[in-house]
Amino acid sequence: SFSVDRGETLAIVGESGSGKSVTVQTIMRLIPMPPGEIKNGEILFEGEDLVKASIERMRELRGGKIGMIFQDPMTSLNPTIKVGKQIMEGILIHKNVTKEEAKQQAIEMLRKVGIPKPEERFHQYPHEFSGGQRQRIGVARAVAIKPKLIIADEPVSALDLSVQAQVLNYMKEIQKQFGLSYLFISHDLGVVKHMCDHISIMYRGRFVETGEKADIYNNPQHIYTKRLI
């Protein structure tokens, strides 16, 4: 079990294959069922059990209340649709704005995550961007609607260090501004130290240690945590 408080960031940290992405995809009900199955338990978001939510209800929540930044922007961005329209889509669905207002908001989001000449690049397709730029577009799409919770699955793993810092600082800035909560998935303890309030260490599908950031780094209890650090 774990929880994310309003305005705070919980990191789930573990090596590849430990179950981090499966955990967050289950929260978003993105695991195909069958063959996937939720055997038991609850996924509570503001008191509502997402395990029992209908597909229609999950569509309302996804993007509007719970955003997600995916690990691989090439599979989460539609290659046949211009990136500006992909950011606009969520804004138009979940916010009461005109198309022109949504367009200007999408351009501003591209600017904030460091895409040069955003007015021009708004009209380009995903393959016309570098891998790092596509990842920044994924961040822009998730935060554009200002959801209450953002699940970030390795959001900066594809970025150079200088760009990582830029994107992470922007994520922290909007968190402070809008009171967002983050569920932050990573294997990079340097990134986690910069971003998170609490950390849960995952090993082979289970949490082996959970605590405040300072306690995990300064006084790790589990042998696996010590090895990661």
Side-chain angles (χ1 to χ4, degrees), residues 70-87:
F70 292 91
Q71 188 170 353
D72 182 1
M74 242 349 234
T75 57
S76 61
L77 293 172
N78 189 322
T80 66
I81 299 176
K82 295 173 182 177
V83 299
K85 283 195 171 182
Q86 295 193 56
I87 299 172

Side-chain angles (χ1 to χ4, degrees), residues 133-182:
Q133 287 174 330
R134 285 194 292 266
Q135 189 69 298
R136 281 185 265 176
I137 291 163
V139 172
R141 186 175 61 169
V143 302
I145 310 155
K146 310 297 187 298
K148 294 187 176 181
L149 170 67
I150 291 180
I151 297 174
D153 188 2
E154 301 275 10
V156 294
S157 59
L159 306 180
D160 295 334
L161 283 176
S162 59
V163 181
Q164 273 191 15
Q166 180 183 352
V167 171
L168 291 172
N169 287 337
Y170 174 65
M171 289 175 69
K172 291 197 76 157
E173 178 189 319
I174 63 166
Q175 180 179 35
K176 195 178 294 183
Q177 187 176 351
F178 297 103
L180 304 179
S181 303
Y182 288 122

